Amino acid sequence: MSYGDAMNARVRSEERRAEIVRAALEVIAERGYRGASLGAVAERVGLTQQGLLHYFPTKGALLVAVLQERDQWDAVPDTRWRVDLLASLVEYNAMRPAIIQTFSALLGESVTEGHPARAYFTERYTRVRASMAEVLRAEYGDRLPNGLTPERTAPLLVAVMDGLQYQWLLDPESVDMPGAFRDFLRLLGEEPTDRD
């Protein structure tokens, strides 16, 4: 096999892997991780289950590829997150309901013992909270106007982002996800009120 043939084969293999990951995203969005089968994913891309196993040897390996792909879409290369970019991310998420549905379904399922995505989400939330604390510190310093530290506020920020996604997925006509998130950001910047 020539170098050119080898490169073409590698490109075709990478394209096929990407096609399988997209199909897995769709199947997981429709059925959840536990309800999604390798056979259903294989059928969607015109492979046998054995053929799919050539690219992803286990369902867990395919799940990790799906989650990594999703994280790539949210990456901001060569820059740090800023509060205004977080609002843009929420707006972007509102344009891709299937991805958000898949992520939310996997997140919900991952809280069960033994789920293959549990470690991924646990580690991801540790990173995301630390990242959000940095974003808040860059914007507000060591204390937000409401008196909380960035570390105390970061879990709340993440909870609002993810909680809004669930509400929006359930009733997109009633929940303005980007608008509600911008409202929350305004709350972060408000001075605390004195209470007598």
Side-chain angles (χ1 to χ4, degrees):
M1 179 183 281
S2 72
Y3 175 76
D5 290 341
M7 288 302 293
N8 286 336
R10 193 169 115 201
V11 167
R12 282 193 306 274
S13 177
E14 289 173 9
E15 288 171 351
R16 189 60 148 169
R17 286 176 61 87
E19 180 184 11
I20 293 167
V21 168
R22 283 191 302 275
L25 275 165
E26 293 169 4
V27 172
I28 292 169
E30 294 165 7
R31 304 176 188 185
Y33 174 74
R34 295 205 192 276
S37 68
L38 290 176
V41 175
E43 183 179 316
R44 200 161 288 201
V45 295
L47 287 172
T48 64
Q49 187 168 329
Q50 195 62 34
L52 181 99
L53 292 173
H54 170 75
Y55 295 95
F56 296 98
T58 65
K59 188 176 175 185
L62 180 55
L63 174 63
V64 169
V66 165
L67 293 169
Q68 289 171 337
E69 181 74 11
R70 189 252 184 217
D71 280 351
Q72 288 300 314
W73 294 330
D74 288 348
V76 177
D78 301 320
T79 187
R80 290 184 48 180
W81 282 105
R82 300 185 320 256
V83 171
D84 60 322
L85 290 178
L86 294 177
S88 297
L89 174 61
V90 173
E91 289 174 12
Y92 175 57
N93 283 343
M95 296 183 292
R96 53 192 194 140
I99 300 299
I100 300 310
Q101 183 179 4
T102 303
F103 175 82
S104 298
L106 288 170
L107 175 58
E109 289 179 355
S110 74
V111 301
T112 59
E113 205 57 46
H115 192 279
R118 186 178 181 117
Y120 168 86
F121 279 112
T122 300
E123 190 272 318
R124 181 184 183 279
Y125 274 111
T126 298
R127 276 187 294 113
V128 168
R129 285 190 303 269
S131 177
M132 292 302 109
E134 288 179 26
V135 167
L136 293 167
R137 181 165 278 105
E139 181 81 14
Y140 299 106
D142 289 334
R143 293 261 174 210
L144 278 70
N146 60 23
L148 293 176
T149 64
E151 288 73 22
R152 293 266 320 268
T153 306
L156 302 174
L157 178 61
V158 175
V160 167
M161 291 177 83
D162 286 353
L164 281 171
Q165 286 181 166
Y166 278 108
Q167 293 179 58
W168 173 74
L169 286 168
L170 290 168
D171 192 0
E173 298 302 317
S174 298
V175 177
D176 174 9
M177 184 168 61
F181 186 71
R182 285 190 300 274
D183 291 343
F184 177 74
L185 291 180
R186 279 194 283 282
L187 289 175
L188 290 182
E190 288 183 3
E191 295 288 339
T193 56
D194 291 331
R195 298 191 182 170
D196 296 325

